[in-house]
Amino acid sequence: MKLTATWSKKQICIVFYSILFSLLLTFLMISGFFQTKVDLQWTNFQWVHRVGTNLWGMYAPHFHVGKRIDYPPLYPILLSTLQGWLRPGLVWYTSSNAWFVFLAYVSIRFWPIVFQIANGWLIFRFCGQNLRAAALGLALVLLPALTFNTIIWGQIDSALIFFTLAAALLLKHDKVRFSAILLGIGCLMKFQMLYFVPLFIAETWLKRGWRRTLDGVFYGFLTIYVGWFPFSLYNFDFLLPFTMTFKAFGEYSHLLMGGFNVWGASFYGRQPNIQMNQTFFGTFTYNQANLLLIALILFFLGVAYWLRQQKLMTFDMWSAGLIYTLAIFMLTGAQHERYQLIMIPFLFLLLLTKSITHWVGDWVRWQCFSLLILFNEFTVWIQLEYHVFGSAKQAAQFYQWGSLINVSLSLILLLWFLWAHYRQHLSITNSDLMAGQLRQMVTRVKTWWVRKIKG
């Protein structure tokens, strides 16, 4: 408290933004030394070449250079701004000059790192621009799982966290249209943002009514379609956003794609090459089972919000989002291990609702989640990058045990987190109730005393 009193808001801002800028430069420099082969060489550099050669035609069926782009248009365009348009194609990446190769890997990770830094700015900006907000913002920027994801792996999940945080915070501040627009921009960055749409619709419907919900849906849909429109026009396919979305969610034909979830834990001692179109039970395929699971998750989400509307359940959006995103990752197939990062925004927002006196326990629980996700990311990455396992059987056994550990610990940590949140809610409610009773008692004493004096 003394430190807060001696630091002005301007000084806190100067120090915080200086640290963020230093972290940006540091992360970019470090990223150039990790010239990994995983994903970046398979997809991202190929996308740069494709976008730099024919921007508007990058989704054209006849235009095939490298791996097909299975992302919405915004991220491939951002990638090309530092690669394809400055030096077309794969010149930097394939150059024999070590400095060109270094710059290629820095530029290919530039946007994931920028969004990682932006997450810290967002928390600082929305949470009061004080020392507590600065500490929480830097904690999110320095999160080990997120840092590994951006600097080494070069994935853009930091943008998914950014747009989820921004849309959720704006919705909490009753900015429904702006929240929907940012949600739409997020959907133009990563298809996984679509998972959050039902949650935002349910929250808006309950808090603001159906008119404002439809208003938000309209602005969100309009944002998405405007982003896709030039590509639809070029291909004379005005259903292109829907076509690409369905193709993207069906892009991975294998049930097990590295996600440490219940599917990985259910196959004992082996990792079968199960295709999503294979039969699961009778004529029921894994793909159909996946769609059924998603439908059930959405159904229970709707039931929970209906019970909340009837005042039969008490929970906030952050708790609902945490359970919902964990269910999506744990129960559905074709999940990559890094997709568990979609829980981070809701874990962090749930942490922000806690009082300072409850920080220590919540901080430990939050860090346990992040370290668990880092474990999942690192093991899959090192297996793909260096082929550390001597046989497919060893890899399958490790994959199964990793899944068992992740499923068990994730459920334990989730229950621990929610129970602590519920206990704090009860303590606050009880303290408010006791305060109300105390005020009533004081009022009665004052009334009695006034009557005694007058009488």
Side-chain angles (χ1 to χ4, degrees), residues 16-207:
F16 178 76
Y17 289 130
S18 298
I19 294 174
L20 278 191
F21 184 69
S22 300
L23 287 174
L24 174 63
L25 295 181
T26 303
F27 288 173
L28 289 173
M29 289 297 296
I30 294 173
S31 68
F33 293 102
F34 290 98
Q35 297 172 9
T36 174
K37 299 179 178 63
V38 177
D39 282 355
L40 296 181
Q41 294 182 5
W42 296 347
T43 58
N44 294 17
F45 282 112
Q46 304 296 331
W47 292 355
V48 168
H49 177 61
R50 184 167 182 173
V51 175
T53 306
N54 188 348
L55 171 62
W56 305 115
M58 61 179 171
Y59 297 108
H62 63 276
F63 192 69
H64 294 289
V65 177
K67 183 175 173 61
R68 183 178 70 83
I69 295 177
D70 56 352
Y71 265 57
L74 188 53
Y75 184 42
I77 291 174
L78 289 178
L79 276 178
S80 69
T81 56
L82 292 176
Q83 282 271 344
W85 293 347
L86 293 177
R87 296 182 67 88
L90 306 180
V91 176
W92 283 12
Y93 160 56
T94 57
S95 173
S96 58
N97 188 311
W99 281 106
F100 277 175
V101 175
F102 179 87
L103 289 173
Y105 281 98
V106 170
S107 60
I108 208 75
R109 295 186 177 98
F110 177 81
W111 291 110
I113 291 173
V114 165
F115 278 107
Q116 182 178 0
I117 299 297
N119 285 322
W121 167 83
L122 189 67
I123 294 299
F124 182 70
R125 176 66 180 81
F126 272 87
C127 299
Q129 297 183 350
N130 50 37
L131 284 176
R132 181 194 182 198
L136 290 173
L138 291 175
L140 184 56
V141 171
L142 295 170
L143 192 69
L146 189 57
T147 302
F148 180 88
N149 189 264
T150 56
I151 294 179
I152 298 178
W153 208 314
Q155 298 292 341
I156 196 64
D157 297 284
S158 55
L160 182 144
I161 293 175
F162 175 82
F163 287 110
T164 304
L165 278 172
L169 289 170
L170 284 171
L171 188 62
K172 185 174 179 61
H173 287 81
D174 204 31
K175 306 290 186 182
V176 176
R177 288 183 178 178
F178 288 115
S179 176
I181 290 171
L182 279 178
L183 197 64
I185 296 174
C187 291
L188 291 172
M189 181 71 75
K190 283 205 74 171
F191 284 117
Q192 277 78 17
M193 281 296 297
L194 290 169
Y195 282 134
F196 300 118
V197 172
L199 179 66
F200 279 79
I201 289 176
E203 187 71 20
T204 308
W205 193 297
L206 181 62
K207 289 286 189 67

Side-chain angles (χ1 to χ4, degrees), residues 1-9 11-12 130-132 134-135:
M1 295 303 291
K2 292 182 180 179
L3 185 62
T4 306
T6 59
W7 281 52
S8 68
K9 185 175 181 180
Q11 289 174 320
I12 295 173
N130 50 37
L131 284 176
R132 181 194 182 198

